[in-house]
Amino acid sequence: MINRLDIAWLPPGTVELVPLTIRVWSESRMIIGTTLGLILIATLSAWWPAYRASNLKIVDALRHV
C-alpha cells in the first residue's frame, strides 16, 4: 500500500527526490533473524529472574511482593 502512494523523499546530500519503497517479503532472512533474536532475548530476560527466584525460600520470595 505504501509503495502505491508514490511517496518520494530527499536523502541528505542529494538534490533529486528518490521514491520511497518498502520491501517486506524480500527480506525474509532479516525478519527471521530479528524474530529469533527477540525470542532469545525475551527468553533469557525471563529465565534469569525466575532462576534466581526458584533458589529462594518461599517465605523470602513472598516478602518481595
Side-chain angles (χ1 to χ4, degrees), residues 46-57 61:
W47 173 78
W48 180 250
Y51 175 75
R52 290 182 58 201
S54 69
N55 290 332
L56 293 176
K57 294 181 182 179

Side-chain angles (χ1 to χ4, degrees), residues 3 12 14 17 24 32 35-36 38-39 41 45 51-53 55-58 60 63-64:
N3 293 338
T14 63
L17 287 174
V24 176
I32 291 170
T35 302
L36 292 176
L38 290 172
I39 289 171
I41 290 170
S45 62
Y51 175 75
R52 290 182 58 201
N55 290 332
L56 293 176
K57 294 181 182 179
I58 294 175
D60 294 333
R63 189 177 301 156
H64 293 290

